[in-house]
Amino acid sequence: MEISALTRSVVKRNHALICPDGHVNSVVPGWTHCRVNVIINEQMGARLGQTLITAEKDCIIEGHTETAQIFFYVISGKCTAKTETQTKALSGGQFVYVPSRHAYRLEQFSEDTQIVTFHKVYEKLAGYDHPSVIFGDASTVPGPAFLGDPALRLQVLLPEDLSFDMAVNIFTYDPGGHLPFVETHIMEHGLLYLQGQGVYMLDHEWYPVKKGDAIWMAPYCQQWFTAMGKEPAVYIYYKNVNRFPT
Ligand code: UGY
Ligand code: MN
């Protein structure tokens, strides 16, 4: 029998590992007939938001972004996404980016569809236009070798354009593949494992991680990862980018 007082989840000053066994549902106005787990939020010291949505029958995810932009990525299942000017069907691996101050509505979900969202308060850059809505499909995004290592592949889902202040990328590691060095950087991350397993080092603490786990890394949280097991380890992650380091 499992012991309910044990978990791999931890929440520390500058990083957190949130595993599915610790999820507790939140009620979010406008997001109905679904389970919502707020995984990362400013309450823990983060400057991004990350949620996991699991659709039930008649699920509707509707709202109007205010100061924060929202990136919706379909992990599995399907739905229809409507923005002010477009309507598109989304299935696993597809996404919609909704800029700040835009209406959105996701509907016609198949049951158990899962979506991960990343939220960031938008910082406009003088001389650059506000980003527009973007629909995309990860399966069509190239995944070049990361820093020359063919065991690591990085897909960049949003345009690399200074009007954007956030990036969302998918990182794939073949078993045994690992980050080439311990990263120590100002950018913050929120991530979710989509597949596989491995070991993450966060500020010199070592965590076994697998599909379904989420991680928050504050600025300067030192980070390194190696993939283990028989299939590639894949995570989708957020990063703040392209703004003056105040
Ligand atoms: O983009 C990044 O900083 C990425 N290499 N970090 C990470 O995967 N922990
Ligand atoms: Mn990093």
Side-chain angles (χ1 to χ4, degrees), residues 146 169 171 173 179 183 185 187 189 191 200 217 223 235 237 239:
F146 182 68
N169 304 334
F171 215 156
Y173 297 66
L179 279 176
E183 294 185 4
H185 58 62
M187 296 79 88
H189 293 315
L191 72 76
Y200 232 107
M217 296 174 223
Q223 54 202 256
Y235 57 77
Y237 72 100
K239 181 173 184 174

Side-chain angles (χ1 to χ4, degrees), residues 206-226:
W206 299 80
Y207 300 100
V209 292
K210 64 174 186 175
K211 179 180 175 181
D213 291 348
I215 295 176
W216 168 57
M217 296 174 223
Y220 295 105
C221 172
Q222 292 186 282
Q223 54 202 256
W224 181 88
F225 174 68
T226 188

Side-chain angles (χ1 to χ4, degrees), residues 151-205:
L152 276 53
R153 291 169 301 278
L154 188 71
Q155 296 171 278
V156 176
L157 303 185
L158 283 173
E160 291 179 278
D161 172 322
L162 287 184
S163 64
F164 286 85
D165 65 350
M166 67 184 268
V168 178
N169 304 334
I170 296 181
F171 215 156
T172 299
Y173 297 66
D174 287 336
H178 56 82
L179 279 176
F181 59 93
V182 174
E183 294 185 4
T184 308
H185 58 62
I186 187 172
M187 296 79 88
E188 189 176 11
H189 293 315
L191 72 76
L192 178 73
Y193 271 86
L194 301 174
Q195 180 184 298
Q197 59 172 285
V199 176
Y200 232 107
M201 188 281 280
L202 300 169
D203 261 354
H204 301 275
E205 300 201 51

Side-chain angles (χ1 to χ4, degrees), residues 70-234:
I70 310 181
F71 184 99
F72 294 90
Y73 177 89
V74 180
I75 301 167
S76 60
K78 53 181 197 273
C79 66
T80 299
K82 292 184 175 170
T83 62
E84 284 162 18
T85 53
Q86 297 174 77
T87 299
K88 281 193 198 293
L90 295 180
S91 58
Q94 298 182 320
F95 58 86
V96 58
Y97 163 83
V98 183
S100 57
R101 309 196 193 290
H102 266 70
Y104 63 86
R105 181 178 163 99
L106 278 60
E107 60 184 24
Q108 293 179 307
F109 280 85
S110 61
E111 237 170 295
D112 295 329
T113 293
Q114 280 206 307
I115 290 188
V116 58
T117 67
F118 298 102
H119 311 225
K120 179 187 184 294
V121 172
Y122 182 63
E123 297 164 70
K124 189 164 176 341
L125 189 61
Y128 286 82
D129 286 341
H130 209 88
S132 331
V133 169
I134 293 178
F135 283 92
D137 184 346
S139 70
T140 66
V141 175
F146 182 68
L147 299 180
D149 181 349
L152 276 53
R153 291 169 301 278
L154 188 71
Q155 296 171 278
V156 176
L157 303 185
L158 283 173
E160 291 179 278
D161 172 322
L162 287 184
S163 64
F164 286 85
D165 65 350
M166 67 184 268
V168 178
N169 304 334
I170 296 181
F171 215 156
T172 299
Y173 297 66
D174 287 336
H178 56 82
L179 279 176
F181 59 93
V182 174
E183 294 185 4
T184 308
H185 58 62
I186 187 172
M187 296 79 88
E188 189 176 11
H189 293 315
L191 72 76
L192 178 73
Y193 271 86
L194 301 174
Q195 180 184 298
Q197 59 172 285
V199 176
Y200 232 107
M201 188 281 280
L202 300 169
D203 261 354
H204 301 275
E205 300 201 51
W206 299 80
Y207 300 100
V209 292
K210 64 174 186 175
K211 179 180 175 181
D213 291 348
I215 295 176
W216 168 57
M217 296 174 223
Y220 295 105
C221 172
Q222 292 186 282
Q223 54 202 256
W224 181 88
F225 174 68
T226 188
M228 299 185 335
K230 303 225 179 312
E231 59 175 352
V234 183

Side-chain angles (χ1 to χ4, degrees), residues 25-50:
N25 302 334
S26 287
V27 173
V28 175
W31 296 12
T32 56
H33 300 284
C34 57
R35 297 194 299 282
V36 181
N37 303 115
V38 181
I39 309 273
I40 298 174
N41 181 267
E42 60 190 11
Q43 302 297 330
M44 67 210 292
R47 283 186 224 160
L48 75 134
Q50 180 175 326

